[in-house]
Amino acid sequence: MSNDQPDPGVEENHLIAERRAKLAQWRAAMPAYPNGFRRDALAADLAATYAERDGAWLEANPVRVHVGGRMMFKRVMGKASFAKLVDRSGALQLFLQTGTLGAAYEAFKGYDVGDILGAEGPLFRTRTGELSVRVERLQLLAKALRPLPDKWHGLADTETRYRQRYVDLLMSEQSRELFRTRTRIVRYLRDALDALDFLEVETPMMQPIPGGAAARPFITHHNALDQKMYLRIAPELYLKRLIVGGLERVYEINRNFRNEGLSTRHNPEFTMLELYWAYSDFRELMELIERLMRGLCDGLYGQRVLKYQGRDYDFGQPFRRVTVADLVCEHNPGIDRARLRDVAYLREQCAALGIACQGGDGAGKLQMEIFEKTAEHLLLDPTFVYAYPAEVSPLSRANDADPFLTDRFEFFVAGRELANGFSELNDPEDQAARFRAQVARHEAGDQEAMHYDGDYIRALEYGMPPTAGLGIGIDRLVMLLTDAASIRDVLLFPHLRPET
RNA sequence: GGGUCGGUAGCUCAGUCGGUAGAGCAGCGCCCUUUUAAGGCGUUGGUCGUGGGUUCGAGCCCCACCCGACCCA
C-alpha cells in the first residue's frame, strides 16, 4: 500500500471492534469468506413472478429459492426474526425462526446490518401479504466490519457520498438508479449512431500534440521514448484523420482531460461523444441533435417535457435557432449592430461590461466575450446558437457568404453548453494558416491556443470529403436528464481534494 | 481567486448569555414466534475539522489553516 494517503483502516471505534471480534470468532469455526453459495433467484424477479400468488397457493405449490444479498434490515423478536436482503434487483424479506434454524438462528442474532448473507427456503406470504422466504438454511458470506449509515436518513453528507461512493450506492436506490440511467443514455446514443451506420472507434488518449480544443492539457512523460506526452483534450483531429481514411462515419465516446478548475459543471476528466459525418453539414447536425434529444426523452421517461432543477424544459417543440450576433444585440440593447466588427468599439463595450480583454483579441473574440458574459447563461430553453466567428473557431469551415463567420453552432439548455458542432474545415491551406495564427497567439501568452499539427495538415492534403463534426458533453447531458445539480452527482468517482 | 454557509458519537442532528457535551437511530445486555422507522427495560460510546489566541473558564468569542456545499470571477 502506498503512503500517499492516510490509511482509513486504522481509525477504529467500538462498533468496528465488536464486529471484528465477531469475525475472529467466526473465522475460528469455519472459512469466514466462503465462495460456494449460488443464487437461483433475484428479489425483483420473484416479486414479479409470484405477484398474483397468495399464501394458500404458495403453501400448496412450494417454491424453494436460494437468494443472496446485503442485509439492510434486521429485526429480532425473541424466537422469530425478520431481515431484508438487497440484491442488484431489489429487496426481499427473510423470515427466520429458532424452530427451523436451531443453532443457525443463534448465529443470525449475532449478524449485523450490512453483512452479506445467503439464504435458502420456500416462499410464503406474511400476515400482511409480503412475499418472504421462510429460511431453512442461512449462511454468512461476507462480514461487514464497518457500520452503515442511519437506515432512515441514509447518507446525507455530500462529501462522504462522493469520497465513498460505495457507501452511497449501497445505501441509496436513487443513486444506483441514476447511474443506471447514465448507462442507458450512453447506450441509446450508441444504438442510434450504430443504426445510422456510424462506426465506433478508439483513438489515442496520450497524444504527442494536444489538439482539437482550446484548453490546457495534462502533461506526462513516456520513459522508453523519452518523450513528452499529453492526455488528450479532444479526439477531434484523430477522428478526422479517419474520415480522410474513408471510414466516412465515425464516433467515439470516451474521456477527455482538461487541466482546469473544478466546479459544479467541470471535472478534470469528462466524457465526450464526438462524431464525424462525411457528406453532411452543421444543419444536419442540428437536426440530429433534435432527434436524439427527443429519442432520449421518449426512451427514458415517455414524455418530452422534463423538469430540471424546478423548471420545465420542452424538447418536443422545434429548438430555437439564433446567431451569436443576434444574441449579443438582443441582450445588449445599447450596442450598435453596425459596429459589431469594430475592434476599438467592442473594446469600449467590453470595458463598460467589466470584461478583461487581451491585447491580441480581435472582433470575433470580443463578440464571444460579450456573448458569454451577457447571453449564454440566459439560454434556458433548448437553443442552437450559430454563426460563430472564425477567430474562435480554428477548425471550422468558413461561411461561404461571410468568411468572418463559420458554419458552426453550439447547443444550449439551462444556460449550459451541451454540444458544439460545425461543418469541418477541410481546406489544408486554410487550416495551416489558422494553425499558424493559433501558434502566434500561443507565443503571445494564450495557454489555451492550439499547437501546429503537421501530420494533421498532411492528412488533409490527401483530401477530406466535406464533413460535419459534433461533440456532446455526456456528463452535462446526464445532469440534464437526471435533474442533477452538480457534475459530481453523475460521476461515479468525481475528483476531490485529497482527504486529510 | 473572492463571498456566504457548514464540519459536534458509526449515521442524522440539537447544543440557550462563554459555566460539568445531548437526543434519535445503530451497538451492547435482558424480554418478546408475523415485524414494516416494531415495542419494553437497562447501557457503552466524544481529539466538538486542525493549530494558535482571548478568558478564572471556549463546542460557543478572535486569528490562521484544512475539507465540503452554494454563489461570483
Side-chain angles (χ1 to χ4, degrees), chain A residues 153-172:
Chain A
H153 299 97
L155 183 57
D157 183 64
T158 50
E159 185 174 352
T160 309
R161 290 208 301 119
Y162 296 152
R163 284 198 199 279
Q164 296 178 250
R165 184 66 87 187
Y166 38 91
V167 180
D168 174 41
L169 289 168
L170 74 87
M171 288 302 296
S172 167

PDB file of all heavy atoms in Angstrom, chain A residues 153-172:
ATOM      1  N   HIS A 153     -32.387   7.958   7.616  1.00  0.00           N
ATOM      2  CA  HIS A 153     -31.927   9.182   6.964  1.00  0.00           C
ATOM      3  C   HIS A 153     -30.961   8.909   5.819  1.00  0.00           C
ATOM      4  O   HIS A 153     -30.782   9.744   4.951  1.00  0.00           O
ATOM      5  CB  HIS A 153     -31.244  10.094   7.987  1.00  0.00           C
ATOM      6  CG  HIS A 153     -32.159  10.525   9.090  1.00  0.00           C
ATOM      7  ND1 HIS A 153     -32.201   9.879  10.315  1.00  0.00           N
ATOM      8  CD2 HIS A 153     -33.077  11.509   9.151  1.00  0.00           C
ATOM      9  CE1 HIS A 153     -33.104  10.469  11.086  1.00  0.00           C
ATOM     10  NE2 HIS A 153     -33.658  11.448  10.410  1.00  0.00           N
ATOM     11  N   GLY A 154     -30.314   7.745   5.843  1.00  0.00           N
ATOM     12  CA  GLY A 154     -29.344   7.451   4.812  1.00  0.00           C
ATOM     13  C   GLY A 154     -28.091   8.281   4.983  1.00  0.00           C
ATOM     14  O   GLY A 154     -27.826   8.822   6.050  1.00  0.00           O
ATOM     15  N   LEU A 155     -27.339   8.391   3.886  1.00  0.00           N
ATOM     16  CA  LEU A 155     -26.076   9.127   3.915  1.00  0.00           C
ATOM     17  C   LEU A 155     -26.340  10.516   3.366  1.00  0.00           C
ATOM     18  O   LEU A 155     -26.609  10.679   2.184  1.00  0.00           O
ATOM     19  CB  LEU A 155     -25.032   8.384   3.072  1.00  0.00           C
ATOM     20  CG  LEU A 155     -23.631   8.961   3.052  1.00  0.00           C
ATOM     21  CD1 LEU A 155     -23.064   9.069   4.456  1.00  0.00           C
ATOM     22  CD2 LEU A 155     -22.743   8.090   2.194  1.00  0.00           C
ATOM     23  N   ALA A 156     -26.288  11.535   4.234  1.00  0.00           N
ATOM     24  CA  ALA A 156     -26.635  12.891   3.821  1.00  0.00           C
ATOM     25  C   ALA A 156     -25.407  13.718   3.457  1.00  0.00           C
ATOM     26  O   ALA A 156     -25.504  14.638   2.658  1.00  0.00           O
ATOM     27  CB  ALA A 156     -27.399  13.594   4.946  1.00  0.00           C
ATOM     28  N   ASP A 157     -24.282  13.373   4.017  1.00  0.00           N
ATOM     29  CA  ASP A 157     -23.077  14.185   3.837  1.00  0.00           C
ATOM     30  C   ASP A 157     -22.553  14.043   2.399  1.00  0.00           C
ATOM     31  O   ASP A 157     -22.118  12.967   1.991  1.00  0.00           O
ATOM     32  CB  ASP A 157     -22.017  13.737   4.843  1.00  0.00           C
ATOM     33  CG  ASP A 157     -20.767  14.582   4.760  1.00  0.00           C
ATOM     34  OD1 ASP A 157     -20.854  15.782   5.038  1.00  0.00           O
ATOM     35  OD2 ASP A 157     -19.720  14.032   4.395  1.00  0.00           O
ATOM     36  N   THR A 158     -22.597  15.148   1.633  1.00  0.00           N
ATOM     37  CA  THR A 158     -22.223  15.052   0.221  1.00  0.00           C
ATOM     38  C   THR A 158     -20.763  14.639   0.063  1.00  0.00           C
ATOM     39  O   THR A 158     -20.429  13.899  -0.854  1.00  0.00           O
ATOM     40  CB  THR A 158     -22.433  16.393  -0.506  1.00  0.00           C
ATOM     41  OG1 THR A 158     -21.814  17.426   0.257  1.00  0.00           O
ATOM     42  CG2 THR A 158     -23.900  16.705  -0.655  1.00  0.00           C
ATOM     43  N   GLU A 159     -19.931  15.128   0.943  1.00  0.00           N
ATOM     44  CA  GLU A 159     -18.510  14.786   0.818  1.00  0.00           C
ATOM     45  C   GLU A 159     -18.297  13.280   0.922  1.00  0.00           C
ATOM     46  O   GLU A 159     -17.568  12.682   0.129  1.00  0.00           O
ATOM     47  CB  GLU A 159     -17.714  15.523   1.900  1.00  0.00           C
ATOM     48  CG  GLU A 159     -16.217  15.313   1.745  1.00  0.00           C
ATOM     49  CD  GLU A 159     -15.415  16.159   2.710  1.00  0.00           C
ATOM     50  OE1 GLU A 159     -16.008  17.017   3.389  1.00  0.00           O
ATOM     51  OE2 GLU A 159     -14.198  15.956   2.778  1.00  0.00           O
ATOM     52  N   THR A 160     -18.969  12.649   1.885  1.00  0.00           N
ATOM     53  CA  THR A 160     -18.827  11.202   2.020  1.00  0.00           C
ATOM     54  C   THR A 160     -19.459  10.483   0.830  1.00  0.00           C
ATOM     55  O   THR A 160     -18.938   9.464   0.363  1.00  0.00           O
ATOM     56  CB  THR A 160     -19.468  10.722   3.334  1.00  0.00           C
ATOM     57  OG1 THR A 160     -18.965  11.517   4.402  1.00  0.00           O
ATOM     58  CG2 THR A 160     -19.157   9.275   3.592  1.00  0.00           C
ATOM     59  N   ARG A 161     -20.566  11.032   0.327  1.00  0.00           N
ATOM     60  CA  ARG A 161     -21.191  10.389  -0.836  1.00  0.00           C
ATOM     61  C   ARG A 161     -20.230  10.374  -2.018  1.00  0.00           C
ATOM     62  O   ARG A 161     -20.203   9.423  -2.793  1.00  0.00           O
ATOM     63  CB  ARG A 161     -22.485  11.126  -1.235  1.00  0.00           C
ATOM     64  CG  ARG A 161     -23.614  10.931  -0.214  1.00  0.00           C
ATOM     65  CD  ARG A 161     -24.984  11.045  -0.880  1.00  0.00           C
ATOM     66  NE  ARG A 161     -25.144  12.344  -1.504  1.00  0.00           N
ATOM     67  CZ  ARG A 161     -25.339  12.528  -2.806  1.00  0.00           C
ATOM     68  NH1 ARG A 161     -25.409  11.500  -3.625  1.00  0.00           N
ATOM     69  NH2 ARG A 161     -25.474  13.740  -3.278  1.00  0.00           N
ATOM     70  N   TYR A 162     -19.447  11.431  -2.182  1.00  0.00           N
ATOM     71  CA  TYR A 162     -18.505  11.472  -3.302  1.00  0.00           C
ATOM     72  C   TYR A 162     -17.233  10.674  -3.013  1.00  0.00           C
ATOM     73  O   TYR A 162     -16.712   9.986  -3.882  1.00  0.00           O
ATOM     74  CB  TYR A 162     -18.112  12.918  -3.603  1.00  0.00           C
ATOM     75  CG  TYR A 162     -19.253  13.807  -4.068  1.00  0.00           C
ATOM     76  CD1 TYR A 162     -19.222  15.173  -3.833  1.00  0.00           C
ATOM     77  CD2 TYR A 162     -20.345  13.283  -4.753  1.00  0.00           C
ATOM     78  CE1 TYR A 162     -20.251  16.004  -4.258  1.00  0.00           C
ATOM     79  CE2 TYR A 162     -21.379  14.100  -5.176  1.00  0.00           C
ATOM     80  CZ  TYR A 162     -21.329  15.461  -4.922  1.00  0.00           C
ATOM     81  OH  TYR A 162     -22.331  16.269  -5.342  1.00  0.00           O
ATOM     82  N   ARG A 163     -16.734  10.785  -1.777  1.00  0.00           N
ATOM     83  CA  ARG A 163     -15.462  10.122  -1.457  1.00  0.00           C
ATOM     84  C   ARG A 163     -15.636   8.615  -1.308  1.00  0.00           C
ATOM     85  O   ARG A 163     -14.735   7.847  -1.624  1.00  0.00           O
ATOM     86  CB  ARG A 163     -14.888  10.671  -0.153  1.00  0.00           C
ATOM     87  CG  ARG A 163     -14.268  12.023  -0.283  1.00  0.00           C
ATOM     88  CD  ARG A 163     -13.352  12.310   0.909  1.00  0.00           C
ATOM     89  NE  ARG A 163     -13.097  13.732   1.025  1.00  0.00           N
ATOM     90  CZ  ARG A 163     -12.196  14.403   0.301  1.00  0.00           C
ATOM     91  NH1 ARG A 163     -11.469  13.758  -0.589  1.00  0.00           N
ATOM     92  NH2 ARG A 163     -12.042  15.698   0.452  1.00  0.00           N
ATOM     93  N   GLN A 164     -16.779   8.206  -0.756  1.00  0.00           N
ATOM     94  CA  GLN A 164     -17.024   6.778  -0.543  1.00  0.00           C
ATOM     95  C   GLN A 164     -18.289   6.409  -1.301  1.00  0.00           C
ATOM     96  O   GLN A 164     -19.324   6.115  -0.716  1.00  0.00           O
ATOM     97  CB  GLN A 164     -17.173   6.470   0.951  1.00  0.00           C
ATOM     98  CG  GLN A 164     -15.907   6.735   1.743  1.00  0.00           C
ATOM     99  CD  GLN A 164     -16.120   6.458   3.219  1.00  0.00           C
ATOM    100  OE1 GLN A 164     -16.137   7.381   4.027  1.00  0.00           O
ATOM    101  NE2 GLN A 164     -16.278   5.202   3.575  1.00  0.00           N
ATOM    102  N   ARG A 165     -18.179   6.436  -2.636  1.00  0.00           N
ATOM    103  CA  ARG A 165     -19.349   6.192  -3.470  1.00  0.00           C
ATOM    104  C   ARG A 165     -19.948   4.826  -3.185  1.00  0.00           C
ATOM    105  O   ARG A 165     -21.160   4.636  -3.292  1.00  0.00           O
ATOM    106  CB  ARG A 165     -18.964   6.314  -4.958  1.00  0.00           C
ATOM    107  CG  ARG A 165     -20.134   6.163  -5.895  1.00  0.00           C
ATOM    108  CD  ARG A 165     -21.151   7.297  -5.762  1.00  0.00           C
ATOM    109  NE  ARG A 165     -20.821   8.431  -6.604  1.00  0.00           N
ATOM    110  CZ  ARG A 165     -21.473   9.592  -6.578  1.00  0.00           C
ATOM    111  NH1 ARG A 165     -22.482   9.768  -5.747  1.00  0.00           N
ATOM    112  NH2 ARG A 165     -21.105  10.588  -7.353  1.00  0.00           N
ATOM    113  N   TYR A 166     -19.099   3.857  -2.788  1.00  0.00           N
ATOM    114  CA  TYR A 166     -19.626   2.520  -2.489  1.00  0.00           C
ATOM    115  C   TYR A 166     -20.653   2.586  -1.370  1.00  0.00           C
ATOM    116  O   TYR A 166     -21.635   1.858  -1.386  1.00  0.00           O
ATOM    117  CB  TYR A 166     -18.479   1.559  -2.131  1.00  0.00           C
ATOM    118  CG  TYR A 166     -17.375   2.191  -1.301  1.00  0.00           C
ATOM    119  CD1 TYR A 166     -17.407   2.162   0.091  1.00  0.00           C
ATOM    120  CD2 TYR A 166     -16.305   2.836  -1.908  1.00  0.00           C
ATOM    121  CE1 TYR A 166     -16.404   2.745   0.843  1.00  0.00           C
ATOM    122  CE2 TYR A 166     -15.298   3.429  -1.159  1.00  0.00           C
ATOM    123  CZ  TYR A 166     -15.347   3.384   0.213  1.00  0.00           C
ATOM    124  OH  TYR A 166     -14.363   3.983   0.960  1.00  0.00           O
ATOM    125  N   VAL A 167     -20.452   3.467  -0.398  1.00  0.00           N
ATOM    126  CA  VAL A 167     -21.433   3.585   0.682  1.00  0.00           C
ATOM    127  C   VAL A 167     -22.710   4.260   0.159  1.00  0.00           C
ATOM    128  O   VAL A 167     -23.826   3.838   0.454  1.00  0.00           O
ATOM    129  CB  VAL A 167     -20.852   4.372   1.869  1.00  0.00           C
ATOM    130  CG1 VAL A 167     -21.901   4.490   2.978  1.00  0.00           C
ATOM    131  CG2 VAL A 167     -19.603   3.690   2.407  1.00  0.00           C
ATOM    132  N   ASP A 168     -22.518   5.300  -0.633  1.00  0.00           N
ATOM    133  CA  ASP A 168     -23.674   5.984  -1.232  1.00  0.00           C
ATOM    134  C   ASP A 168     -24.510   4.994  -2.036  1.00  0.00           C
ATOM    135  O   ASP A 168     -25.734   4.937  -1.900  1.00  0.00           O
ATOM    136  CB  ASP A 168     -23.155   7.116  -2.123  1.00  0.00           C
ATOM    137  CG  ASP A 168     -24.259   7.797  -2.911  1.00  0.00           C
ATOM    138  OD1 ASP A 168     -25.349   8.023  -2.337  1.00  0.00           O
ATOM    139  OD2 ASP A 168     -24.035   8.118  -4.090  1.00  0.00           O
ATOM    140  N   LEU A 169     -23.843   4.187  -2.872  1.00  0.00           N
ATOM    141  CA  LEU A 169     -24.569   3.257  -3.736  1.00  0.00           C
ATOM    142  C   LEU A 169     -25.297   2.194  -2.926  1.00  0.00           C
ATOM    143  O   LEU A 169     -26.453   1.868  -3.216  1.00  0.00           O
ATOM    144  CB  LEU A 169     -23.601   2.593  -4.721  1.00  0.00           C
ATOM    145  CG  LEU A 169     -23.064   3.505  -5.829  1.00  0.00           C
ATOM    146  CD1 LEU A 169     -21.905   2.827  -6.548  1.00  0.00           C
ATOM    147  CD2 LEU A 169     -24.172   3.850  -6.818  1.00  0.00           C
ATOM    148  N   LEU A 170     -24.640   1.661  -1.922  1.00  0.00           N
ATOM    149  CA  LEU A 170     -25.303   0.556  -1.208  1.00  0.00           C
ATOM    150  C   LEU A 170     -26.431   1.069  -0.332  1.00  0.00           C
ATOM    151  O   LEU A 170     -27.329   0.320   0.042  1.00  0.00           O
ATOM    152  CB  LEU A 170     -24.277  -0.271  -0.425  1.00  0.00           C
ATOM    153  CG  LEU A 170     -23.647   0.249   0.853  1.00  0.00           C
ATOM    154  CD1 LEU A 170     -24.511  -0.101   2.060  1.00  0.00           C
ATOM    155  CD2 LEU A 170     -22.272  -0.373   1.032  1.00  0.00           C
ATOM    156  N   MET A 171     -26.393   2.371   0.004  1.00  0.00           N
ATOM    157  CA  MET A 171     -27.452   2.938   0.834  1.00  0.00           C
ATOM    158  C   MET A 171     -28.614   3.497   0.023  1.00  0.00           C
ATOM    159  O   MET A 171     -29.714   3.641   0.537  1.00  0.00           O
ATOM    160  CB  MET A 171     -26.899   4.073   1.704  1.00  0.00           C
ATOM    161  CG  MET A 171     -25.997   3.627   2.836  1.00  0.00           C
ATOM    162  SD  MET A 171     -26.793   2.478   3.977  1.00  0.00           S
ATOM    163  CE  MET A 171     -28.109   3.507   4.651  1.00  0.00           C
ATOM    164  N   SER A 172     -28.366   3.897  -1.225  1.00  0.00           N
ATOM    165  CA  SER A 172     -29.344   4.711  -1.933  1.00  0.00           C
ATOM    166  C   SER A 172     -29.756   4.091  -3.261  1.00  0.00           C
ATOM    167  O   SER A 172     -28.975   4.043  -4.215  1.00  0.00           O
ATOM    168  CB  SER A 172     -28.752   6.100  -2.180  1.00  0.00           C
ATOM    169  OG  SER A 172     -29.545   6.803  -3.105  1.00  0.00           O
TER     170      SER A 172
END
